[in-house]
Amino acid sequence: MSKSCQGNQFRIGLLIVCVIFITSGILFGSGDSLWAKTKPEANLKREILVTEVEDSYRSGNMRVSEFDHKPLALYNVNYPVMPDIPERMALQYLEDHAELLKLKKDLSDLRHRVTIETPGSYHVRFDQFLGGYQVYKAEIVVTINRKDVVTFVVNDYKPHATLPKMDRFALPAKQALTTAKQYLQIEGKIRFQSQDMVIYNNRYVNRLAQRITIVPSEKPIGDWEILMDVANGEIFRVEDKSVYASGTGNVFDPDPISSSGATYGTGGYTDDNDADSSDLTNALTAVTLLDITLNGTYYLTGPYAQIVDSEAPYNGVFNQASSDFSCQRAADLFEAVNAYYHIDKSMRYIQVDLGFPYGPYQYSGGVRVDPHGLNGDDNSHYSSATGEIAWGEGGVDDAEDLSVILHELGHAVHDFGTNGGLSQVNGLSEGIGDYWVASYLRSWGSWAPTDPEYQWIFLWDGHNPFWSGRDTNSSLHYPDQLTGNIYTDGAIWSTVLMQIWNDIGRPACDSNLMEALASLGSSSNQQDAANAFIQADMDLHAGANLTAICNWFGLRGYDPAGTGCACASPPAPPTNLGAAVNSGNVDLTWTAGAGATSYSVFRASGTCPQASYQNIDKDITGTSYSDTTANPGGTYAYVVISVDDVNPGCESGNSNCAEATIPICSGNETILFDDDMESGSANWSALVGPNDQGGTAPWAQTTSSSNSPTHSWFCSDEASVKDQLLVTASAINIPASGSVFLSFFHEYDTETGYDGGVLEYSVDGVNWYDILASDGTRIPANPDRFIMNGYNDTLATGFENPLPGRDAWSGASMGYLKTMVNLSDFAGSSVYFRWRMGCDSSVSDVGWAVDDVQVMSCSDAPVPTISLGAILFLLLSLTVLFSIHRSKRSKTIVVTKT
């Protein structure tokens, strides 16, 4: 059929405006822009972004950084300057306010970039440079009005930026460009590329980086900026800086019959050889077509859907100069717009809303769809070989009906989710496609449950003279009433899913199906799918919907034996859980839960309640349990659940939470060393380590970070080879018997895997060893010496770190942690301890703080000793008392008898 778009025509005036905007580098303005701003999901996945925005607070006319209390913006400044050229007037202000803005007093690291003149003011912009390198995103903007008064200042200066020290660049510029292209997976030509070096500063982190900008002509479309550390080649920041254009168009959503409540053939609700009618025009919905591509002209190509022309009758891909794709349903363009919109919307729902990464495995990008295929026949298909969908044109054009669009997408998603394992056993994939349509249609609420249309799918394309359509109202019983017809049998599956849908809702039912797909194979039948669906609900929703799911699967003939469906009546949770410490163990007791045959115990560090717990034991048949794995000094929260072992997977919810703190000592406690860092530095020596290359900051007391109350020792993480030591000034005498523990609180935030800290010991003050290692003579190696919060990482062997390959504390502790060390192996020794900070030759971070160091000795309560003389005296005294007692007793008896 020959059709032409009768909708909005592209106006020459708009073309001129767009050309002006595009050639000036401005796609749209703010607020009332022509197009919505969004970014393709595929591009978002390539991005590597960290938090760089500084939290702030308002102080008078300033917005101030919470990090370093630097003014980030100043409003209504009202500061007059001497008349001069704008650059010099701005420098006047900056010189006068350098201390406030945390600038260098001489402003030697600022370079004037540009002055922009507007009708009301001059806006002078400066960039920050160090060692010839621009500091990334470090700029200052000073606004000066026509009366030579500074009125507004934006201050993105980086006072903590430093030039990292390094002997070599691990990444040559040419290699960096190649690596960036490989990361982006560039396909085709590149319109633009540039490369320079910048200093990246984020709080105390400093990196010298290659900044590479690439604008591909083909894939992946975007304005890409990549930062790559020149010291180690790490790509640590990636951003697509483009602003994306969306288009507009008209669609049927969901379809003319559902939208109007009409019947096919009444009024204008008829195909009539693709002719328009007022009724069909009124049924159109104006929509936004997200993330379409602008590449000279606008294409219906985005991250979730793309219009292709792969099958006859070859009507093209409908690219055009305007982003407005609106037209009447009579136009060939209409099917392309309708298909793009619904495929894009459904795939976004799957990937973004539901969180399932299902997409074509045959190619990258959005699902490829041909709105006019199959040589114009009245049929549609999904091809697993190509991963493409095509719709025919007989009767009502298939791509006009959302039902046909989503049914074929259901096949595609089934194929994507199983990576080529689509199954039509028992018509499974037909049932999945029909369900995917029905789930969307029913979510509109267009029909009442008593309406026949409530169960229908293909309301516009079917249920008319062209064909009878299908529904989700099968009365057939599985598996005894399977017919062998994939469409009839598939209706059994779609029907039971929609019965479940009515009880648990669309999000839960859809997500369960999506989860189940990945468990299925090319020979899976409906029984497999039902069990996978049950498992999905247990995995996704903790079995919250099993009552309804099990009920419907049971009624329709699916056998849920051995699955979570056996748990129609879960056991009651235990009650009255209590925890008591006994000889270093935690003894738990509880009241039995009705229906339980066994119990599982869960534990978490910290006080009650906790967000999550870890299972520490199961198959407990009684109502008590002793936790023998709790560490001295630790606080733990416990819960217990009831289990019905007769019905696998049948479990209760959590009991009440009970907590217990394990004392470090079960007997007498002796403090051998205790320093909360509040009484000066007499107990400590801050020394330079043997591998320090000089000029690095030593350990020092600080009030900027502490566990209690105000002071700690702190050593910064620098971008140079650093080896700094915090050493106990005197040896600590470890008793020859009893248990001895070292504990301390510390907070670290270092370059993960490269910079970090270790704990070392010495018995002579000369030779030092890691706290877990042997000294070769008296002290044995013991990898279990840490009781809690031991080393969490292994430091890299390159970049001149003084602790290469050592286990260490590295990365971010996210607050203060308590570390405990068992010193029993050191019994009878006098021991020095030192906290050793090691940094490599590049990349700085915050550092390491240590507070509240204590060494404690534990011994059993002493048994009293009694001399031999005392024992004889005691025996003699007892004999005399016993004799007197007998004498008195005898007299009493005599008197009584008298």
Side-chain angles (χ1 to χ4, degrees):
M1 304 169 204
S2 175
K3 301 187 283 187
S4 61
C5 182
Q6 303 298 319
N8 294 339
Q9 301 298 312
F10 189 72
R11 294 183 174 86
I12 189 64
L14 178 60
L15 174 62
I16 295 173
V17 171
C18 289
V19 170
I20 293 173
F21 271 60
I22 293 170
T23 55
S24 63
I26 304 172
L27 285 178
F28 50 80
S30 62
D32 56 350
S33 59
L34 295 174
W35 303 287
K37 306 174 188 178
T38 186
K39 188 176 292 185
E41 185 72 15
N43 287 14
L44 291 172
K45 291 180 179 179
R46 284 188 174 91
E47 291 186 323
I48 302 174
L49 298 174
V50 298
T51 300
E52 295 168 338
V53 176
E54 297 181 44
D55 293 334
S56 61
Y57 61 91
R58 182 69 179 267
S59 177
N61 70 328
M62 300 186 298
R63 182 172 64 85
V64 182
S65 167
E66 289 187 358
F67 167 60
D68 59 8
H69 307 291
K70 173 193 71 179
L72 299 172
L74 298 92
Y75 321 125
N76 191 28
V77 176
N78 197 29
Y79 187 83
V81 289
M82 295 295 294
D84 205 329
I85 63 173
E87 177 186 348
R88 291 178 183 167
M89 289 191 289
L91 288 172
Q92 284 182 47
Y93 173 83
L94 296 178
E95 288 173 354
D96 293 345
H97 297 84
E99 182 176 357
L100 171 68
L101 300 173
K102 298 187 181 296
L103 313 177
K104 283 188 174 182
K105 190 173 183 179
D106 60 3
L107 307 181
S108 59
D109 56 351
L110 297 183
R111 293 187 187 179
H112 175 245
R113 173 159 39 108
V114 66
T115 297
I116 300 174
E117 182 179 357
T118 62
S121 300
Y122 299 96
H123 311 270
V124 189
R125 311 181 85 89
F126 298 90
D127 294 323
Q128 182 181 2
F129 280 78
L130 292 173
Y133 300 110
Q134 184 178 357
V135 180
Y136 183 72
K137 290 188 175 180
E139 69 169 357
I140 299 174
V141 184
V142 180
T143 298
I144 309 165
N145 67 16
R146 297 289 180 171
K147 298 180 179 180
D148 303 326
V149 174
V150 174
T151 59
F152 200 96
V153 178
V154 172
N155 179 27
D156 284 322
Y157 181 84
K158 308 290 186 183
H160 306 288
T162 60
L163 176 61
K165 300 175 183 177
M166 58 188 69
D167 298 327
R168 70 209 181 317
F169 291 165
L171 192 69
K174 186 175 181 180
Q175 180 184 342
L177 182 59
T178 300
T179 301
K181 292 178 179 178
Q182 291 172 345
Y183 176 84
L184 292 177
Q185 298 178 308
I186 299 291
E187 297 180 20
K189 298 179 180 179
I190 294 176
R191 294 195 341 234
F192 173 83
Q193 69 182 35
S194 67
Q195 187 172 2
D196 63 353
M197 293 179 66
V198 296
I199 296 171
Y200 175 87
N201 168 261
N202 188 7
R203 294 168 175 81
Y204 292 117
V205 175
N206 287 284
R207 298 186 180 207
L208 185 60
Q210 288 276 0
R211 175 170 59 184
I212 300 165
T213 302
I214 301 176
V215 181
S217 294
E218 299 175 28
K219 293 182 179 179
I221 290 294
D223 180 3
W224 293 99
E225 178 187 76
I226 295 180
L227 298 188
M228 198 176 306
D229 195 317
V230 300
N232 55 28
E234 176 192 359
I235 295 177
F236 65 90
R237 193 182 193 282
V238 179
E239 183 180 6
D240 174 12
K241 306 185 79 169
S242 295
V243 180
Y244 283 81
S246 296
T248 55
N250 294 329
V251 300
F252 289 146
D253 193 13
D255 59 70
I257 303 302
S258 297
S259 298
S260 63
T263 302
Y264 185 91
T266 61
Y269 296 102
T270 180
D271 179 66
D272 193 21
N273 200 29
D274 281 336
D276 289 323
S277 71
S278 59
D279 287 333
L280 293 180
T281 299
N282 291 335
L284 294 174
T285 299
V287 297
T288 299
L289 305 174
L290 297 175
D291 295 334
I292 62 175
T293 299
L294 174 58
N295 187 12
T297 58
Y298 287 92
Y299 290 80
L300 294 173
T301 298
Y304 299 96
Q306 49 185 317
I307 298 298
V308 298
D309 187 20
S310 55
E311 297 184 8
Y314 301 117
N315 290 351
V317 296
F318 304 100
N319 59 303
Q320 62 181 37
S322 170
S323 65
D324 185 358
F325 286 83
S326 303
C327 63
Q328 309 270 344
R329 57 89 60 164
D332 283 345
L333 171 62
F334 177 77
E335 286 80 26
V337 173
N338 204 47
Y340 179 89
Y341 174 78
H342 287 297
I343 295 291
D344 175 86
K345 183 178 182 179
S346 192
M347 289 301 294
R348 286 179 192 270
Y349 171 66
I350 292 169
Q351 294 188 19
V352 180
D353 296 345
L354 298 183
F356 291 92
Y358 298 160
Y361 58 88
Q362 301 91 338
Y363 51 86
S364 60
V367 180
R368 295 174 182 171
V369 298
D370 186 344
H372 301 284
L374 290 96
N375 292 302
D377 295 340
D378 188 12
N379 206 338
S380 300
H381 67 183
Y382 163 74
S383 169
S384 185
T386 64
E388 296 183 1
I389 300 170
W391 295 280
E393 297 179 332
V396 174
D397 290 355
D398 285 0
E400 283 189 14
D401 189 352
L402 165 125
S403 291
V404 188
I405 294 172
L406 292 189
H407 175 86
E408 296 303 330
L409 181 62
H411 289 312
V413 172
H414 184 183
D415 192 41
F416 301 158
T418 57
N419 198 244
L422 181 151
S423 171
Q424 280 285 31
V425 177
N426 301 157
L428 180 61
S429 196
E430 293 302 326
I432 289 171
D434 286 356
Y435 167 79
W436 200 242
V437 175
S439 176
Y440 182 80
L441 287 175
R442 199 163 293 181
S443 70
W444 276 81
S446 301
W447 305 99
T450 54
D451 295 325
E453 293 88 350
Y454 181 79
Q455 305 288 357
W456 288 2
I457 54 177
F458 308 111
L459 283 90
W460 176 230
D461 182 66
H463 299 281
N464 58 33
F466 299 114
W467 74 295
S468 59
R470 290 209 288 272
D471 59 41
T472 57
N473 195 30
S474 173
S475 61
L476 299 179
H477 194 265
Y478 184 89
D480 49 294
Q481 293 183 325
L482 288 170
T483 67
N485 179 291
I486 59 173
Y487 305 106
T488 303
D489 293 345
I492 303 175
W493 180 241
S494 62
T495 296
V496 70
L497 290 184
M498 289 309 299
Q499 288 169 325
I500 294 170
W501 189 103
N502 284 341
D503 283 352
I504 73 174
R506 183 189 181 201
C509 203
D510 287 355
S511 61
N512 281 351
L513 178 62
M514 291 295 109
E515 180 72 20
L517 287 182
S519 300
L520 303 179
S522 57
S523 61
S524 295
N525 61 13
Q526 292 187 28
Q527 178 66 63
D528 300 335
N531 288 348
F533 191 96
I534 294 165
Q535 184 61 50
D537 194 77
M538 292 191 289
D539 294 340
L540 295 177
H541 310 295
N545 306 296
L546 286 182
T547 299
I549 294 169
C550 297
N551 174 62
W552 284 113
F553 278 151
L555 289 174
R556 300 311 302 263
Y558 300 94
D559 180 10
T563 70
C565 276
C567 190
S569 299
T575 56
N576 302 316
L577 177 65
V581 178
N582 182 18
S583 300
N585 300 329
V586 179
D587 292 337
L588 303 175
T589 59
W590 59 88
T591 301
T597 59
S598 68
Y599 300 92
S600 295
V601 176
F602 294 79
R603 185 181 73 187
S605 295
T607 58
C608 289
Q610 292 289 317
S612 61
Y613 302 85
Q614 181 178 4
N615 179 236
I616 59 172
D617 211 342
K618 59 183 179 178
D619 300 324
I620 302 163
T621 56
T623 56
S624 64
Y625 176 78
S626 183
D627 180 11
T628 61
T629 62
N631 292 318
T635 297
Y636 299 97
Y638 296 87
V639 294
V640 178
I641 66 170
S642 301
V643 179
D644 179 1
D645 296 297
V646 176
N647 300 306
C650 198
E651 301 174 344
S652 74
N654 291 343
S655 69
N656 61 293
C657 180
E659 66 184 57
T661 298
I662 316 301
I664 295 177
C665 294
S666 58
N668 291 334
E669 176 182 302
T670 303
I671 303 300
L672 305 177
F673 180 91
D674 190 8
D675 194 343
D676 62 1
M677 312 308 183
E678 304 300 320
S679 301
S681 58
N683 290 329
W684 304 94
S685 298
L687 305 176
V688 178
N691 298 315
D692 192 87
Q693 292 190 357
T696 63
W699 285 88
Q701 285 203 314
T702 181
T703 58
S704 61
S705 173
S706 65
N707 182 63
S708 70
T710 59
H711 288 71
S712 69
W713 281 92
F714 176 77
C715 190
S716 61
D717 182 0
E718 299 183 52
S720 56
V721 178
K722 178 172 186 171
D723 188 4
Q724 293 288 343
L725 314 172
L726 178 65
V727 189
T728 54
S730 303
I732 299 171
N733 297 320
I734 308 300
S737 62
S739 300
V740 183
F741 302 95
L742 164 66
S743 67
F744 60 94
F745 288 83
H746 60 138
E747 180 181 38
Y748 50 89
D749 190 354
T750 68
E751 185 191 11
T752 303
Y754 293 94
D755 302 343
V758 298
L759 177 63
E760 297 180 332
Y761 74 91
S762 174
V763 295
D764 58 12
V766 177
N767 299 295
W768 291 87
Y769 308 93
D770 188 85
I771 192 64
L772 303 180
S774 170
D775 68 347
T777 55
R778 296 182 54 191
I779 311 301
N782 186 350
D784 299 321
R785 197 163 280 148
F786 284 117
I787 296 175
M788 64 173 65
N789 294 320
Y791 297 141
N792 70 321
D793 207 341
T794 301
L795 298 182
T797 57
F799 310 105
E800 302 178 88
N801 190 298
L803 307 172
R806 294 271 301 266
D807 288 341
W809 291 289
S810 182
S813 65
M814 307 302 291
Y816 274 87
L817 299 176
K818 183 179 183 179
T819 288
M820 290 192 63
V821 186
N822 189 336
L823 300 181
S824 297
D825 291 333
F826 296 83
S829 301
S830 295
V831 187
Y832 295 88
F833 297 97
R834 72 182 186 186
W835 286 255
R836 184 177 182 185
M837 177 71 175
C839 303
D840 65 17
S841 57
S842 66
V843 185
S844 64
D845 212 314
V846 180
W848 188 19
V850 175
D851 199 0
D852 296 325
V853 178
Q854 186 178 81
V855 179
M856 175 187 296
S857 171
C858 302
S859 61
D860 294 332
V863 178
T865 58
I866 305 175
S867 66
L868 179 60
I871 293 173
L872 292 174
F873 176 79
L874 178 61
L875 291 173
L876 179 60
S877 300
L878 291 172
T879 301
V880 172
L881 290 171
F882 182 71
S883 299
I884 294 171
H885 176 73
R886 290 191 64 190
S887 175
K888 289 182 177 179
R889 185 181 180 194
S890 299
K891 288 180 179 180
T892 302
I893 293 172
V894 171
V895 170
T896 301
K897 287 183 177 180
T898 302

